[in-house]
C-alpha cells in the first residue's frame, strides 16, 4: 500500500517544541532539505506500491533521507539507524519536525526498499543530488560537461595468464573437442605437453629463463600443430566447421599475438578480459572487465 506521511497527534503538538524553531537553519542538511523536491520521490516511488492492498509503506522521505545519509557518511544500515535517533538534524532532514526517540523502521527495511526501487530508483536519487547542487550554485553546468572518475574492475574467474598455461590450455580444448566429434588427430601431445608445461614452470621459478622460453616455444609449437591438423581434418566435413570455428579463431589469435600488442587474449574462455593497471601498491595489475558507470552531464546521463 502507498506510504503515508508521518502525522503527530494534535494534543501532543501543543506541548512539544518544533525542531525548526530550535535548530540552526544554516546547517548544510537543513539547507539541502529545502533544495530537494521530496514530492517527486513520493510520486515516482508511490507507483511501486499497490493502491489498496497491504499495510501502508514506510514514509518515502524517510527512506530517501536515510539512503542519502548512509552513502554520505559511509555507514551501514544498522549504523545509520542508530545515529538517526541521536541526531535531530538527521530527523529534520528526513521530514520529522518533532524529536523522535525511536526509529519507526528496522534496518532491514532499507534493504527491502532498495530492492523495490531497483537500479533506476538509485539513479534517480543520484540525479536529484546533482539537480540540488545546480540549483544551489554549488556546481556549475560547465563542471558537469566532462567528469573524470576512477573506474572499477569486475574480477573474472581466470588463472594468472601465463603464455605457457594458455598454450597448454588451448591444445587441451582442441584435443577434447576433436575427441567429442570423432576427429582423429595425428598426435595429441598429451604427454609431451604436460611435461613441457611442468618444465617451463620449474625453470621460470629457478630464474632459468632461457630454458623456460625454450619450453614455452615448444608448447606453442604443439598448439600450432594441433590447430593445423584440426583445420585439415574438418575441411572435408562442413558439418563440423561451426563447432570448431570459435576455438580455432581464439587459438589463432593467441598464436599471432606478441608481447607488446594491445587487446591481448588473456583467457580462452573469457576473451573480454583486459589487463588494467590501477596504480595499487599491493596489486600492480588486475585482470577483469571495466564496469560502466552512469555519469551526470549538463544535458542528462551518459555511460563511461
Amino acid at each position: 500500500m502507498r506510504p503515508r506521511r508521518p502525522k503527530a497527534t494534535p494534543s501532543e503538538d501543543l506541548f512539544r517544541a518544533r525542531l525548526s524553531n530550535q535548530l540552526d537553519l544554516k546547517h548544510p542538511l537543513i539547507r539541502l532539505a529545502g533544495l530537494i523536491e521530496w514530492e517527486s520521490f513520493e510520486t515516482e516511488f508511490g507507483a511501486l506500491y499497490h493502491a489498496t492492498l497491504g499495510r501502508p509503506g514506510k514514509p518515502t522521505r524517510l527512506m530517501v533521507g536515510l539512503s542519502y545519509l548512509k552513502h554520505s557518511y559511509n555507514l551501514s544500515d544498522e549504523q545509520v539507524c542508530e545515529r538517526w535517533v541521536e541526531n535531530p538534524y538527521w530527523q529534520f532532514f528526513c521530514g520529522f519536525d518533532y524529536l523522535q526517540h525511536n526509529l519507526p523502521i528496522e534496518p532491514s527495511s532499507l534493504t527491502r526498499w532498495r530492492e523495490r526501487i531497483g537500479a533506476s530508483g538509485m539513479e534517480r536519487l543520484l540525479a536529484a543530488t546533482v539537480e540540488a547542487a545546480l540549483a544551489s550554485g554549488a556546481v556549475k553546468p560547465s563542471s558537469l560537461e566532462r567528469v573524470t572518475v576512477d573506474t572499477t574492475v569486475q574480477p573474472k574467474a581466470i588463472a594468472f595468464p601465463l603464455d605457457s598455461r594458455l598454450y597448454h590450455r588451448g591444445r587441451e580444448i582442441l584435443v577434447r573437442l576433436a575427441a567429442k566429434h570423432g576427429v582423429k588427430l595425428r598426435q595429441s601431445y598429451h604427454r609431451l605437453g604436460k611435461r613441457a608445461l611442468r618444465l617451463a614452470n620449474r625453470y621460470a621459478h629457478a630464474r632459468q629463463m632461457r630454458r623456460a622460453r625454450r619450453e614455452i616455444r615448444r608448447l606453442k609449437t604443439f598448439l600450432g600443430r594441433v590447430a593445423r591438423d584440426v583445420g585439415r581434418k574438418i575441411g572435408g566435413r562442413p558439418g563440423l566447421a561451426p563447432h570448431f570455428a570459435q576455438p580455432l579463431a581464439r587459438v589463432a589469435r593467441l598464436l599471432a599475438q606478441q608481447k607488446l600488442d594491445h587487446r591481448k587474449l588473456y583467457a580462452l574462455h573469457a576473451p573480454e578480459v583486459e589487463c588494467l593497471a590501477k596504480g595499487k601498491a599491493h596489486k600492480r595489475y588486475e585482470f577483469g572487465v571495466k564496469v560502466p558507470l552512469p555519469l551526470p552531464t549538463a544535458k542528462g546521463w551518459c555511460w563511461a
Side-chain angles (χ1 to χ4, degrees):
M1 192 173 176
R2 288 177 176 270
R4 297 176 181 174
R5 295 186 179 182
K7 295 182 179 180
T9 306
S11 60
E12 295 180 352
D13 293 351
L14 186 61
F15 303 100
R16 298 172 62 186
R18 293 179 177 270
L19 293 177
S20 56
N21 296 332
Q22 303 178 64
L23 302 179
D24 181 11
L25 299 181
K26 296 182 180 180
H27 191 276
L29 284 178
I30 296 181
R31 296 175 61 186
L32 178 60
L35 295 173
I36 298 177
E37 297 182 2
W38 302 101
E39 291 77 10
S40 62
F41 293 123
E42 296 179 0
T43 303
E44 294 182 19
F45 298 153
L48 303 176
Y49 296 84
H50 197 277
T52 57
L53 297 180
R55 65 179 181 180
K58 303 302 179 183
T60 301
R61 179 167 176 176
L62 173 63
M63 307 304 291
V64 173
L66 288 175
S67 299
Y68 276 135
L69 296 171
K70 167 186 168 64
H71 292 286
S72 298
Y73 295 93
N74 194 22
L75 301 174
S76 64
D77 292 344
E78 292 78 8
Q79 291 173 336
V80 73
C81 291
E82 292 175 0
R83 292 183 57 177
W84 185 89
V85 179
E86 303 171 355
N87 197 321
Y89 286 97
W90 286 21
Q91 296 183 16
F92 184 87
F93 179 75
C94 295
F96 291 84
D97 202 14
Y98 296 95
L99 185 64
Q100 305 293 317
H101 300 283
N102 295 295
L103 185 66
I105 65 169
E106 295 292 332
S108 58
S109 299
L110 285 171
T111 303
R112 291 190 292 269
W113 186 78
R114 287 193 296 267
E115 294 175 353
R116 181 184 293 272
I117 65 174
S120 59
M122 298 305 294
E123 291 182 5
R124 178 66 185 90
L125 297 182
L126 179 59
T129 59
V130 178
E131 294 171 0
L134 292 173
S136 63
V139 177
K140 297 181 180 179
S142 59
S143 302
L144 300 178
E145 293 179 356
R146 179 168 181 167
V147 181
T148 303
V149 298
D150 183 16
T151 58
T152 185
V153 179
Q154 180 180 359
K156 301 286 286 187
I158 67 168
F160 193 82
L162 299 175
D163 288 341
S164 57
R165 186 183 292 117
L166 288 174
Y167 294 146
H168 180 72
R169 181 59 179 164
R171 182 192 58 79
E172 285 184 335
I173 291 175
L174 291 179
V175 170
R176 187 183 303 112
L177 197 59
K180 178 180 178 181
H181 294 281
V183 178
K184 188 176 181 180
L185 299 177
R186 178 182 178 185
Q187 190 172 352
S188 66
Y189 299 97
H190 176 72
R191 180 178 57 84
L192 296 177
K194 291 178 63 176
R195 180 177 181 273
L197 177 64
R198 183 172 62 252
L199 290 177
N201 294 337
R202 288 182 177 180
Y203 290 147
H205 182 72
R207 296 295 188 270
Q208 300 179 13
M209 302 312 298
R210 291 185 59 183
R211 293 181 175 180
R213 285 192 291 268
R214 181 186 62 193
E215 300 300 330
I216 294 174
R217 288 194 300 269
R218 187 170 296 171
L219 286 168
K220 186 176 182 180
T221 300
F222 295 160
L223 175 60
R225 289 178 180 175
V226 171
R228 290 189 295 271
D229 193 14
V230 169
R232 287 192 298 267
K233 296 296 176 58
I234 67 174
R237 305 170 64 179
L240 294 179
H243 300 285
F244 288 86
Q246 187 181 80
L248 286 176
R250 293 181 182 178
V251 166
R253 177 182 169 186
L254 177 62
L255 293 173
Q257 68 186 16
Q258 301 297 323
K259 180 178 180 180
L260 300 179
D261 288 349
H262 297 284
R263 306 291 299 178
K264 295 176 64 177
L265 182 65
Y266 295 102
L268 291 168
H269 69 281
E272 69 277 2
V273 170
E274 303 178 45
C275 178
L276 304 171
K278 303 296 293 182
K280 299 178 181 178
H282 65 285
K283 187 183 296 185
R284 187 176 179 183
Y285 299 104
E286 296 180 78
F287 297 92
V289 181
K290 289 183 179 180
V291 179
L293 300 175
L295 300 180
T297 63
K299 299 182 180 180
W301 290 88
C302 67
W303 288 93

